[in-house]
């Protein structure tokens, strides 16, 4: 392999063991059979492997595990987040606990209960109450994922203000009127910021915004429901701005099912730029956010130790407007 420095994942593959085993052997911790330890040490010596700084930080703790807490686990958005987070954590030799609260009544208590079994927790914004988040941060390092910092608890999020640019594009470049926003800001920092940016775009275009959003969930089936409410009758919105791509794809299905043409009869846009957005016809105009990077950056912050001197409390990742056929662009 020459002087190329291998990752813990590659060392594990060569030795035929798990990443966690390589981590334990390289740091001299945990129980590993003598035969396995000898094999791993031989591979480490041959390839000059050294644990990463993140791994060293993790080794100073006691569980070798971190957790991610989400309101739910379905759909491509959460899948991408988990992949980014898990890759970084496993590179550092940490196992990952995935917790979906699914809006259970006892969700806050469930999250507090796992704090004693992990060395850090990433909590998706809006999943638990702020008071619970503060209690959790008093017990274990915490990073808010897709939310804003809270009382010294750092956050990693995407720039949702790009929705204002999208809104101006629909109003000024295409001349659409009577825009609708589909998404529920209640309990979701991301959707709240996107709704506020939607209104900001109207103010900048000097056109009145609708009084409120159509509050539905974030899944494709919710978009189909939204289409039924918005596109029944002759007087429907000229363009629909959805809080995420899954909802937008559902609205698109609902519109086409009613015999409407997109974008001739109604324009539809989303947020995320999931893979399906570029595959449907017309392609979905959306805002691309680096979902996998969100998870990766969160993991690196969590494992390296958060809240120390000079720590960045609010990490905002860049988003990009992606114009496709569903808004009327070529």
């Amino acid at each position: 392999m020459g002087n190329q420095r291998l990752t813990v994942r590659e060392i594990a593959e060569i030795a035929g063991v798990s990443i966690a085993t390589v981590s334990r052997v390289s740091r001299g911790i945990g129980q590993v059979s003598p035969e396995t330890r000898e094999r791993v040490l031989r591979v480490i010596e041959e390839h000059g492997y050294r644990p990463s700084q993140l791994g060293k930080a993790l080794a100073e703790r006691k569980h070798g595990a971190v957790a991610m807490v989400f309101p739910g686990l379905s759909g491509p958005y959460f899948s991408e987040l988990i992949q980014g987070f898990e890759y970084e954590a496993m590179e550092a030799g940490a196992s990952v606990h995935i917790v979906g609260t699914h809006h259970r009544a006892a969700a806050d208590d469930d999250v507090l209960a796992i704090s004693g079994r992990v060395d850090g927790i990433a909590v998706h914004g809006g999943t638990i109450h702020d008071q619970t988040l503060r209690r959790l941060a008093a017990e274990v390092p915490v990073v808010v994922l897709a939310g804003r910092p809270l009382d010294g608890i750092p956050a990693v999020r995407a720039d949702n203000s790009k929705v204002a640019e999208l809104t101006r594009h629909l109003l000024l470049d295409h001349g659409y009127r009577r825009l609708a926003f589909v998404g529920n800001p209640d309990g979701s920092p991301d959707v709240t910021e996107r709704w506020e940016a939607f209104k900001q775009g109207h103010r900048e275009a000097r056109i009145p915004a609708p009084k409120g959003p159509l509050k539905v969930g974030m899944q494709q089936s919710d978009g189909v429901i939204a289409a039924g409410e918005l596109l029944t009758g002759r007087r429907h919105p000229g363009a629909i701005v959805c809080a995420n791509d899954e909802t937008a794809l559902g609205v698109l299905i609902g519109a086409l099912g009613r015999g409407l043409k997109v974008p001739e009869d109604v324009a539809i846009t989303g947020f995320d730029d999931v893979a399906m957005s570029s595959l449907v016809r017309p392609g979905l105009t959306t805002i691309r956010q680096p979902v996998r990077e969100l998870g990766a950056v969160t993991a690196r912050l969590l494992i390296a130790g958060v809240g120390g001197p000079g720590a960045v409390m609010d990490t905002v990742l860049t988003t990009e407007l992606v114009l496709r056929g569903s808004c009327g662009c070529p």
Side-chain angles (χ1 to χ4, degrees):
M1 302 296 291
N3 294 325
Q4 181 180 359
R5 179 173 173 173
L6 270 63
T7 66
V8 65
R9 186 184 299 273
E10 291 167 325
I11 292 293
E13 290 176 355
I14 295 171
V17 298
S18 69
I19 291 174
T21 297
V22 174
S23 177
R24 287 194 292 267
V25 171
S26 65
R27 299 183 184 105
I29 61 174
Q31 295 183 350
V32 181
S33 70
E35 296 82 3
T36 301
R37 183 179 299 277
E38 182 180 352
R39 184 167 74 255
V40 173
L41 286 173
R42 184 167 58 250
V43 174
I44 287 174
E45 184 177 355
E46 290 175 356
H47 296 277
Y49 168 72
R50 295 292 183 273
S52 69
Q53 291 299 316
L54 293 182
K56 291 176 181 178
L58 182 69
E60 296 174 357
R61 304 175 194 172
K62 57 184 178 180
H63 299 289
V66 289
M68 299 184 80
V69 179
F70 297 115
L73 297 175
S74 63
Y77 170 78
F78 289 118
S79 175
E80 286 285 302
L81 275 181
I82 291 170
Q83 287 184 56
F85 186 94
E86 183 182 49
Y87 183 88
E88 290 294 330
M90 294 188 71
E91 283 293 290
S95 60
V96 178
H97 296 260
I98 307 297
V99 181
T101 65
H102 306 290
H103 303 289
R104 294 190 301 268
D108 286 39
D109 292 336
D110 293 343
V111 175
L112 286 169
I114 68 170
S115 64
R117 304 197 297 270
V118 296
D119 299 313
I121 301 178
V123 180
H124 197 274
T127 305
I128 60 177
H129 295 95
D130 287 352
Q131 182 178 358
T132 305
L133 195 62
R134 295 186 186 98
R135 289 178 58 191
L136 190 66
E139 301 293 332
V140 67
V142 173
V143 174
V144 177
L145 172 58
R148 287 187 173 272
L150 175 70
D151 296 342
I153 304 172
V156 180
R157 58 194 177 94
D159 180 10
N160 292 306
S161 68
K162 208 71 173 177
V163 173
E165 180 182 342
L166 169 62
T167 302
R168 293 195 308 272
H169 173 71
L170 295 171
L171 293 169
L172 300 179
D173 296 340
H174 289 291
Y176 293 116
R177 295 296 180 266
R178 297 191 64 246
L179 272 58
F181 183 91
V182 174
N184 189 352
D186 299 339
S188 172
D190 268 343
V191 179
T192 297
E193 290 184 357
R194 291 167 197 175
W195 164 241
E196 292 300 325
F198 175 78
K199 293 190 292 183
Q200 177 66 27
H202 278 82
R203 288 193 293 270
E204 291 169 353
R206 300 180 183 274
I207 295 172
K211 293 182 179 179
L214 176 59
K215 295 183 178 181
V216 300
M218 301 283 279
Q219 297 184 23
Q220 188 168 299
S221 57
D222 298 308
V224 175
I225 294 171
E229 294 194 33
L230 292 172
L231 301 177
T232 300
R234 294 182 178 179
R235 187 171 170 77
H236 58 70
I240 300 174
V241 176
C242 298
N244 70 339
D245 283 354
E246 287 186 72
T247 308
L249 291 169
V251 174
L252 179 63
I253 291 170
L256 297 176
R258 283 168 172 75
L260 297 176
K261 294 181 179 180
V262 178
E264 291 84 354
D265 296 321
V266 60
I268 300 170
T269 71
F271 195 110
D272 286 335
D273 197 27
V274 301
M276 188 58 66
S277 300
S278 63
L279 300 177
V280 295
R281 290 295 176 268
L284 183 66
T285 289
T286 185
I287 294 172
R288 179 182 297 142
Q289 67 164 324
V291 181
R292 191 171 298 197
E293 187 181 354
L294 277 173
V297 171
T298 300
R300 289 197 293 267
L301 274 178
L302 199 59
I303 293 170
V306 297
V312 177
M313 297 306 295
D314 191 13
T315 302
V316 183
L317 303 187
T318 302
T319 55
E320 176 188 359
L321 178 60
V322 180
L323 300 175
R324 299 191 179 106
S326 71
C327 72
C329 286

